[in-house]
Amino acid sequence: MRCLLFFIVFSLIGLLVRGQDLVLKGRVISSSVALSKASLRLVELQRSTQTDTAGMYGFVALAKGKYQMKVSALGHRTQVIQLELTGDTVLNIELVENKQELKEVVITGTQKEVDRLESPVPVEVYSAKFFQKNPTPSIFDALQNINGVRPQLNCNICNTGDIHINGLEGPYTMVMIDGMPIVSSLSTVYGLSGIPNALIERVEVVKGPASSLYGSEAVGGLINIITKEVNKAPTLSLDWMSTSYLEHNLDLGYKAKIHPKVTMLLGVNYFKYGNKVDDNLDNFTDVTLQDRISVFQKWNFSRNENRLFTLAGRFLYEDRWGGEMNWTKAARGGDEIYGESIYTKRWELLGNYQLPVKERMFFAFSLTSHQQDSRYGTTSYIAQQNISFAQLTLDKKLKNHDLLFGTAFRYTFYDDNTPATLSINQQNNPENTYLPAIFLQDEIKLARKHAVLLGIRYDYNSNHGNIVTPRFAYKVNFDENSILRLNAGTGFRVVNIFTEDHAALTGAREVVIASALKPEKTYNANLNFLKRVYAGGHTFTFDVSAFYTHFNNRIVADYETNANQIRYDNLNGYAVSKGLTGNLDVILDFGLKINTGVTLQDVALVEDGLKSQQILTEKWMGTWSVSYLINQLNIGIDYTGNIYGPMRLPLLNDLDSRQPYSPIWSLQNIQFTYRGFKGFEIYTGVKNLLNFKPTRNNPFIIARANDPFDKQVQFGNNGNAVATPSNPYGLTFDPSYVYAPNQGIRAFFGLRYHLR
């Protein structure tokens, strides 16, 4: 009896083992060629494998049942295969080569959805995954990894900044959200840091003229931040990151179906940095302390015939300050302890509605309000800017013509407590600017490989009158992977210096406007060549551009004539920005991705026959990112960085002992991401691996940090400070000598979660 019992038990164990011992194997190919290093994953079991050099794969010890297998390889479309195993199975898989990246849809270049390959205007596209290679709490910091684009800090104390494209300063860059020009001059200084990366679906960058479509500010290029599509967003998402500097950033996202035809996406971002650091021992905070919250909602409404209707809104509140280490809010605005304290409130509403007519007509609008309450030492800057924008477009195709008609209206209200809004009799006189416009664009197919784009825009500025901006673009496709584009046009820009130059607000210098400022006008061109090569499962993409911009009436700030003043005037001459920029993207079939870029540029002012390099503008720059995925360990490695050539820095006088040019400097980062948990990602790494700080090789960064209210400074008859035993360099307090972040090496750790 006992022997019979043992026989039955061992028989059952054998059957059980046999039931768990099924084999799934096969080969992965593409165009009849074996794919090595292809990744295969059984989702339910969270088991992964890779193909060998012959393209063969295998799973063993499987039980009968239904499975979902995900198959992916670099340069190929991912497949998800539904399986039901009843016995040993041989399954061969053929993947399709993926050329979708070049054919992805873009909208920024022509204000209509077109394949990137077909766009006559070169548009660079950066996905949310690209920015996750070097996680940052805002889009302002994230743009540092894009070639030719540089976030520039303009103040050592409050860490405000702008975004340069091909060497042109921030006011020449238009920043949009979902195609709406709602990031105006005031919020270009203070609003960009409040746009969290978690909202981003992708970022489209156009380097070159765009005023014929977008009007003022789109002179040197534009950045279009496209928020997540509601229907594609995860039901629940979370991204939390902290650094060894005790910076903390939290992004939360939630999607809900409110009604069968209404879906809502809610996003909340909170950033907190409250750790005072003074590594250079000048008694000033090295990094601005910040407390920021941003709440975002986007609504998608389903309509007949898939017509578009979206609404989105965002509210931002930020409290930031920097200054002497013992500063508190009780000292705000006083003359005993120096601090720069900025309260920002901002709300935005934007929408896009496709009219219920046969033709493709869209009505887009945005409303924004930006309120700012600031103290720069004893200087008070209280400002409000409201912008209303509406645009109606008609997209019409006629034989070989692809037409876009549009009319737009922009109203800007601006008021502050500075001389900018005072009337002749010294009464408050807020600025009201009305800017109606009409524009026409025609993309003409000359032949199968050739296309021309002609555009013209007419604006009427209530302060400066009529402005006309034409545009021309030409595109030739030598083959489906070789494209040459020429983009040329004119541009204009009307400025408010108080909303664009932080140095004008700090109280460290007196602002002098030498004469009535005229609008700036530009003539610019961009020649671009793109080539993609597929070779043995590898992908290589070359993207090279030459650019040139000529300025008339360029408005410049003179910091050097009088160290205690900023003198604004139109340049008695011209300015020029020219150069070359190139990108190389490499995707290798064994899991390595490389993205690198170099920009060479000459940005100069020419006055009375003398040429001078623009302050805070590098002669050359480079960026890179190297990514490798170890499939067996579910670990991704990202190494990112940038490098900048010397730039001329703003010294106060000939005695100033600080370096007149910045050194060659680089910020480099490394990140490790573990993706082995379902729905979760854990990432960690190190930022600024070289521990670079602008204090290196400089006796000090902030001039007269020991006397921020200039109480011990003596001035001569010309208004300049004079050298004394207590002030041997003849300096005044000035925090504008800044070109790089003042944060050293630091570790970071984060967690992402997505529920689909």
Side-chain angles (χ1 to χ4, degrees), residues 236-467:
L236 181 66
S237 64
L238 176 147
D239 193 340
W240 162 75
M241 182 182 73
S242 292
T243 73
S244 56
Y245 257 67
L246 303 184
E247 300 162 294
H248 307 290
N249 187 74
L250 176 65
D251 286 302
L252 293 172
Y254 173 70
K255 182 178 72 174
K257 203 167 187 66
I258 307 300
H259 181 272
K261 293 188 175 182
V262 181
T263 308
M264 180 272 296
L265 175 64
L266 172 67
V268 179
N269 167 257
Y270 180 66
F271 176 73
K272 174 69 173 180
Y273 175 66
N275 182 34
K276 297 180 184 179
V277 176
D278 180 24
D279 287 342
N280 59 0
L281 302 178
D282 61 1
N283 196 40
F284 273 77
T285 54
D286 291 347
V287 182
T288 301
L289 285 78
Q290 299 179 54
D291 197 348
R292 181 178 69 237
I293 186 167
S294 177
V295 181
F296 172 83
Q297 267 198 353
K298 190 172 185 179
W299 298 73
N300 185 72
F301 301 87
S302 299
R303 300 173 59 211
N304 294 335
E305 301 180 19
N306 291 322
R307 291 192 178 100
L308 178 69
F309 183 26
T310 62
L311 280 175
R314 185 171 73 105
F315 173 78
L316 164 74
Y317 175 78
E318 183 180 60
D319 175 3
R320 68 162 63 198
W321 76 269
E324 294 186 86
M325 292 291 286
N326 58 337
W327 186 90
T328 64
K329 290 187 177 181
R332 191 174 194 257
D335 64 353
E336 295 297 326
I337 305 174
Y338 188 89
E340 297 188 2
S341 170
I342 302 158
Y343 301 150
T344 300
K345 291 182 181 178
R346 178 176 176 84
W347 62 261
E348 304 160 352
L349 177 67
L350 59 153
N352 199 353
Y353 178 79
Q354 184 176 355
L355 274 62
V357 295
K358 181 180 178 181
E359 304 292 347
R360 285 179 54 83
M361 295 185 68
F362 296 87
F363 175 72
F365 67 90
S366 67
L367 303 169
T368 69
S369 178
H370 188 108
Q371 301 175 37
Q372 190 171 307
D373 182 350
S374 308
R375 301 292 185 276
Y376 303 92
T378 58
T379 300
S380 169
Y381 176 65
I382 301 173
Q384 178 169 347
Q385 186 172 50
N386 300 329
I387 298 178
S388 304
F389 177 83
Q391 179 173 277
L392 181 66
T393 57
L394 169 62
D395 184 356
K396 181 73 174 178
K397 290 181 173 60
L398 295 172
K399 294 185 178 179
N400 295 331
H401 296 265
D402 192 348
L403 297 166
L404 181 71
F405 303 90
T407 180
F409 179 81
R410 182 171 177 174
Y411 166 71
T412 303
F413 169 88
Y414 176 76
D415 190 18
D416 66 20
N417 63 331
T418 75
T421 55
L422 287 181
S423 62
I424 297 177
N425 59 2
Q426 298 301 301
Q427 297 295 315
N428 187 46
N429 183 30
E431 182 180 283
N432 293 276
T433 304
Y434 302 89
L435 193 63
I438 57 173
F439 55 89
L440 169 64
Q441 177 180 275
D442 184 11
E443 184 181 341
I444 307 168
K445 287 283 188 182
L446 300 177
R448 186 173 64 88
K449 295 183 177 182
H450 299 266
V452 168
L453 182 143
L454 303 175
I456 191 166
R457 181 183 178 106
Y458 166 76
D459 291 83
Y460 178 78
N461 186 291
S462 58
N463 295 324
H464 298 283
N466 304 315
I467 303 171

Side-chain angles (χ1 to χ4, degrees), residues 173-235:
T173 300
M174 174 172 278
V175 181
M176 305 184 298
I177 298 179
D178 288 336
M180 294 291 98
I182 63 176
V183 182
S184 59
S185 52
L186 183 60
S187 58
T188 299
V189 177
Y190 294 101
L192 286 173
S193 60
I195 301 175
N197 291 340
L199 297 182
I200 297 173
E201 177 73 24
R202 67 184 188 274
V203 173
E204 297 182 1
V205 179
V206 174
K207 300 173 182 176
S211 286
S212 65
L213 270 186
Y214 296 99
S216 180
E217 299 169 14
V219 173
L222 58 91
I223 297 171
N224 191 6
I225 300 166
I226 298 173
T227 59
K228 290 185 180 297
E229 295 184 39
V230 176
N231 293 333
K232 295 181 180 180
T235 302

